[in-house]
Amino acid sequence: MADRLDYYFRQKVTEAELDLAFELLEKADRNLAADIGAYGIISGAEPTPHAPVPDLTIDLTAPGRAYDNLGQRIFFGTGQTVDCAVDFAGIPTEVPSAGQERWLGIFIKFDRLLSDPRTDGNSQQVFFRRDETFEIFVRQAPPGPIGSAAKVALQPDELLICDVRRGNGQTQILAPDIDTGRRQAFIFAQGDAVQIISGTWSTLQPAVDTVQSSFDEVDAELTDHFTGSARRHGASAIDIPAHGFVSATNVEGAVHELIDDLSSTASGTPGAQKVGADAVPGTPNALPAGTVDGQLSQILAWLNAHVGASAGAHNASAIAAVAHSYIAGTSVQAQLQEIVTDLGSQAAGTAGASRVGADAVVGSPNALAAGTIDAQLAALLSAINDHLNDANGAHSASAVSVADSGGNLTANNVEAALAEILDAFEDDHFRGNEGNAGQHRTIRQPNLGGTKALLWDAIGIGGAAGRLRVYADTTSIWFTLNASWDGSQWVRDSTSWFSGGFRFSRSDIEFLHEDTFDPTFTTWTSTWTLPMSSTNNSAFELSGTVREVGRVGMEWSNADNATRTLAGGGAVTFRSRFPAAPSSITFAVSNASSGFSGSPSTFTPDRDGFGFFSYQSISGFGTAWWFGTYTAIA
Amino acid sequence: MAIHEVTPTDVLQRCEACNDEHRVLIDDLEVGVARDEQVDGRLVPMPPCPACGAVEFLVRAPDDEPEHPSQGSFGHLHRMLVDELHAELVTRGRVNAALQDAEGNVPPTLAKPLSTEKRQRWFADGLRARRKIEQAGRVFEEENL
């Protein structure tokens, strides 16, 4: 109720008294709202980005109804557009710096709209109507870093519709920029001001019997229930209508039945049979709509057929593979090719052997550490090279086998073979650890057969004229140069050179010479033979063409005092026995006395020599001589 | 000296002392060298070399001499040339008087001529004998006749 004015009979009512009556009624009305505590935006005034094209204004839906804290009614009947580019004082709301934002507060406030002006008795203009209206205020808070900018404080005589966020360079206000979290929605009355009766309640036990306390209790109960911390109830307490293959009518029974049915492994009624599955398209296989059981059976059949296929299941390129280690391919085919390529690689550093691991190999003196084949091959090669380059002490020769493909040895390893060879060698040679190492001891040869056995054949420094051969026959040893025996004749190594040699036996020694240049010959053109076992054995006996030059001389002295013819002479013995009597003897003077006449004459020549004589007429007590040379040819 | 060719009229002689070559008429030659009362009928004295004065005596083979041990050698060929020249001189009567008897005959065994067979075998192209030069050379050469 309102305070009342009791106007009385014949009272002259003043303007102020009439206004007071309205004010008291209006005050009672507002006191009612204030006493109840009702205030806030009841409906409408919902903020949205400006339509149709968002800009820096927002739209408020109509009709809008609200009460402020003084119980004054705020109402607008048409949609409102609020310019957020400036605040209520006309100051721009833009954000000057990047990385910052600014909050705007959109408020609505009660106001009165004066209208219908009239002139009162004092000739003053007054407005006869003062209708309720509203006013919208845009207030801006200072800018701050994005996410932490402060919002505009609530105003005591205004209602906050929403907060609007402005950003740097912003040209549109969109839905995310509008925040209604702090919107001052309508509150009808304070809950703790309304009492309830809880005496018969079985669950709720509010601290005090007020609506607020009861709601708090309900909230706590629901919170406990919804969070599961308390006030849970059994699933059997939740009804559920029977459905499908589930016949139970409460949640617990339905869940149990569902679990039992789904976990069933019974043949013919497995759980998968209870689960439906839609059709699955595919090529070459597709699944029709059915149950999981049916589709699993079909897939199993396909899988078994695929896995059991011995060939042609599908291309390896169709099998995906995850890149691993150095294999980058993403299919089995690609990875297999990459593996083959990598294993066949001969590139330094990435050779195929470097891709293959190998465990450690024990051994002595060498062992291989665990690593790659490449590393172990390198280690082996190094060990082999070290072995081969080892100047001494690599290992015992007895550890090296001997193949002996020719079957020449009894030994089966190098140590024994060397010993065997050295045993044979040292019979006729000095060993390496003896003086005169490698030189021959006695050279012994068995019967070599043939007519003349070749004992030695030496080329010397390579000239055919100096090629030495030594032969042996049944009686003699032959040393020849540029002549070899082919079994029936002598053969020249070179037809540009003479052949020569000598032969000795137990009975004679013979020097040999052949000067025909014929490729072969059977007799030597000249020989010098010393017949050691002959009766006459003091000189060489010659064969072939013989030419000997020697000294011969005579001197006479006439012991008479008258001229006399004196005979002089002597004999010459050839140095060697000619093959026959000489066919020519020539005397050549070297020095003769002035009175010497003619030339010496020869007499009775034979193969051993000749006689010579001369007759000279010499004056009394005179002397004559002749000294010269002879040349004998046979 | 040695003889290298015998023709019907002369003999090609090469001096062993100075190597001078010259021809000597057969008619200027004679078989036999007398010493006191002895005469060696196997000898044929040659005239002194016109170049150096050396004197050569050709010697016929002894009667009982066997076949030459080096058949075909210069020594063998020279032996046969000398025997043939000696026989030719005997045939021509070019014999030292001391070898002749009162009737001017010579002993039938004085000459030792070549058999036809040997002449055909060794001297089919004439009575010539070639002798190799000293054997220091590498290549075969023939001595100039």
Side-chain angles (χ1 to χ4, degrees):
Chain A
M1 291 296 104
D3 294 333
R4 294 178 62 90
L5 296 177
D6 189 9
Y7 299 106
Y8 55 91
F9 182 68
R10 293 187 179 182
Q11 179 180 355
K12 187 178 181 178
V13 179
T14 65
E15 177 190 356
E17 290 170 344
L18 288 174
D19 290 344
L20 178 61
F22 278 103
E23 288 175 357
L24 291 176
L25 287 174
E26 188 177 60
K27 180 180 179 183
D29 182 33
R30 290 175 180 171
N31 283 342
L32 176 62
D35 292 344
I36 294 173
Y39 74 96
I41 302 169
I42 299 172
S43 64
E46 296 290 344
T48 59
H50 182 65
V53 179
D55 54 16
L56 292 179
T57 64
I58 62 172
D59 295 337
L60 300 179
T61 60
R65 298 183 181 86
Y67 285 89
D68 65 11
N69 286 322
L70 299 177
Q72 300 177 113
R73 184 172 181 265
I74 303 171
F75 175 82
F76 56 85
T78 59
Q80 303 295 313
T81 297
V82 182
D83 184 5
C84 297
V86 295
D87 64 4
F88 71 96
I91 300 172
T93 60
E94 62 183 8
V95 178
S97 302
Q100 291 193 323
E101 63 183 7
R102 182 201 301 278
W103 285 102
L104 306 180
I106 311 301
F107 295 89
I108 191 168
K109 182 179 180 183
F110 175 83
D111 199 3
R112 287 195 181 273
L113 179 62
L114 303 181
S115 62
D116 192 6
R118 299 183 185 183
T119 302
D120 63 7
N122 295 323
S123 299
Q124 296 294 318
Q125 185 181 40
V126 298
F127 292 96
F128 181 71
R129 293 200 60 158
R130 296 189 176 200
D131 296 335
E132 291 182 339
T133 187
F134 67 96
E135 187 176 6
I136 296 175
F137 287 84
V138 175
R139 299 182 185 276
Q140 63 176 328
I146 293 176
S148 61
K151 292 182 177 178
V152 180
L154 297 177
Q155 303 299 312
D157 54 349
E158 297 174 4
L159 294 176
L160 178 66
I161 298 173
C162 66
D163 293 309
V164 174
R165 178 174 51 211
R166 290 295 314 274
N168 177 253
Q170 184 183 33
T171 59
Q172 292 180 320
I173 297 174
L174 303 177
D177 298 321
I178 300 173
D179 182 7
T180 58
R182 294 200 303 156
R183 177 183 171 93
Q184 290 181 290
F186 177 71
I187 299 175
F188 180 74
Q190 297 295 329
D192 53 3
V194 181
Q195 187 173 8
I196 53 90
I197 298 173
S198 61
T200 59
W201 292 359
S202 58
T203 299
L204 295 179
Q205 294 179 339
V208 293
D209 287 341
T210 63
V211 170
Q212 182 63 47
S213 181
S214 298
F215 278 129
D216 290 343
E217 178 65 6
V218 169
D219 178 67
E221 292 289 341
L222 289 175
T223 299
D224 289 344
H225 178 69
F226 293 151
T227 60
S229 60
R231 290 299 185 183
R232 296 191 299 273
H233 58 72
S236 60
I238 304 174
D239 292 340
I240 183 172
H243 179 75
F245 61 87
V246 179
S247 58
T249 56
N250 61 68
V251 171
E252 180 180 89
V255 170
H256 289 178
E257 189 175 347
L258 191 61
I259 291 173
D260 291 343
D261 288 347
L262 290 178
S263 61
S264 172
T265 57
S267 177
T269 58
Q273 197 178 56
K274 306 297 186 184
V275 182
D278 61 350
V280 181
T283 300
N285 297 313
L287 290 171
T291 65
V292 170
D293 182 58
Q295 290 192 348
L296 284 175
S297 298
Q298 182 59 66
I299 291 173
L300 178 62
W302 289 336
L303 180 61
N304 285 336
H306 176 72
V307 174
S310 59
H314 58 64
N315 294 331
S317 60
I319 304 175
V322 177
H324 176 70
S325 185
Y326 62 89
I327 304 299
T330 56
S331 72
V332 171
Q333 178 71 33
Q335 291 197 353
L336 285 174
Q337 290 177 336
E338 194 172 344
I339 290 171
V340 171
T341 300
D342 288 346
L343 289 179
S345 172
Q346 299 178 359
T350 57
S354 68
R355 306 297 192 189
V356 183
D359 61 350
V361 181
V362 298
S364 179
N366 295 314
L368 294 175
T372 65
I373 294 291
D374 187 60
Q376 290 195 347
L377 284 175
L380 286 173
L381 179 61
S382 176
I384 290 173
N385 284 337
D386 289 345
H387 177 73
L388 295 178
N389 293 329
D390 195 344
N392 53 62
H395 59 62
S396 299
S398 60
V400 182
S401 64
V402 174
D404 192 22
S405 58
N408 301 313
L409 297 167
T410 301
N412 55 13
N413 63 64
V414 171
E415 177 72 22
L418 287 173
E420 186 177 339
I421 293 170
L422 195 56
D423 286 344
F425 174 82
E426 69 180 355
D427 286 345
D428 293 324
H429 295 77
F430 290 95
R431 295 194 307 272
N433 57 359
E434 295 178 328
N436 305 313
Q439 293 187 17
H440 268 284
R441 296 178 189 273
T442 303
I443 299 175
R444 289 171 291 191
Q445 292 176 282
N447 185 351
L448 301 178
T451 55
K452 285 182 176 62
L454 178 62
L455 305 181
W456 188 12
D457 185 347
I459 298 178
I461 59 172
R467 184 164 180 173
L468 170 65
R469 291 181 178 85
V470 178
Y471 293 92
D473 57 21
T474 54
T475 59
S476 299
I477 301 300
W478 301 71
F479 288 75
T480 67
L481 297 176
N482 192 29
S484 64
W485 183 254
D486 69 357
S488 61
Q489 61 187 350
W490 295 103
V491 180
R492 268 190 169 78
D493 295 309
S494 171
T495 56
S496 297
W497 298 91
F498 300 149
S499 297
F502 70 92
R503 175 190 65 80
F504 70 91
S505 69
R506 292 173 294 103
S507 300
D508 55 8
I509 296 175
E510 184 176 40
F511 293 92
L512 310 167
H513 182 72
E514 214 288 337
D515 59 2
T516 64
F517 298 103
D518 292 338
T520 61
F521 57 93
T522 55
T523 59
W524 299 83
T525 54
S526 297
T527 63
W528 291 256
T529 304
L530 182 62
M532 297 183 294
S533 62
S534 294
T535 302
N536 296 321
N537 57 5
S538 63
F540 283 96
E541 296 183 0
L542 309 184
S543 70
T545 298
V546 176
R547 180 173 183 266
E548 178 174 299
V549 175
R551 294 296 302 273
V552 62
M554 294 175 290
E555 185 169 356
W556 293 261
S557 179
N558 182 8
D560 197 351
N561 59 358
T563 298
R564 293 285 185 258
T565 296
L566 300 180
V572 168
T573 299
F574 297 139
R575 298 185 182 90
S576 298
R577 302 196 75 188
F578 281 23
S583 57
S584 171
I585 296 173
T586 299
F587 294 103
V589 64
S590 299
N591 184 273
S593 58
S594 59
F596 190 85
S597 175
S599 173
S601 295
T602 184
F603 205 71
T604 62
D606 62 16
R607 62 181 300 198
D608 290 314
F610 60 87
F612 62 91
F613 67 94
S614 179
Y615 292 95
Q616 295 294 321
S617 177
I618 302 173
S619 58
F621 302 117
T623 300
W625 66 85
W626 186 96
F627 293 98
T629 62
Y630 70 89
T631 301
I633 296 173
Chain B
M1 275 183 264
I3 60 174
H4 293 262
E5 184 180 25
V6 176
T7 70
T9 60
D10 57 37
V11 174
L12 177 61
Q13 184 188 28
R14 182 176 187 180
C15 179
E16 290 292 332
C18 67
N19 291 328
D20 181 66
E21 290 187 348
H22 45 267
R23 289 188 178 274
V24 179
L25 292 176
I26 292 179
D27 289 341
D28 290 340
L29 300 177
E30 182 182 79
V31 171
V33 171
R35 174 181 174 277
D36 291 336
E37 295 178 352
Q38 294 179 325
V39 178
D40 190 337
R42 294 193 296 133
L43 301 177
V44 176
M46 299 293 285
C49 171
C52 67
V55 176
E56 179 182 17
F57 293 85
L58 300 178
V59 184
R60 195 208 75 182
D63 295 336
D64 57 352
E65 183 156 276
E67 287 295 325
H68 198 281
S70 299
Q71 295 285 300
S73 66
F74 176 77
H76 177 219
L77 297 177
H78 191 262
R79 158 58 63 214
M80 289 187 291
L81 281 180
V82 170
D83 287 354
E84 182 61 16
L85 174 60
H86 181 275
E88 180 62 25
L89 290 174
V90 171
T91 300
R92 293 188 184 190
R94 300 295 297 168
V95 177
N96 188 293
L99 292 172
Q100 299 175 0
D101 58 15
E103 289 77 26
N105 296 320
V106 296
T109 58
L110 179 62
K112 193 176 181 181
L114 284 178
S115 66
T116 303
E117 179 185 357
K118 286 184 177 179
R119 187 168 181 133
Q120 286 295 326
R121 178 182 179 186
W122 300 109
F123 301 105
D125 296 328
L127 294 172
R128 299 187 187 89
R130 299 176 177 177
R131 181 183 178 188
K132 298 178 179 65
I133 63 172
E134 296 295 333
Q135 297 176 347
R138 185 175 69 87
V139 181
F140 175 86
E141 291 181 6
E142 291 183 350
E143 184 181 45
N144 294 328
L145 293 175

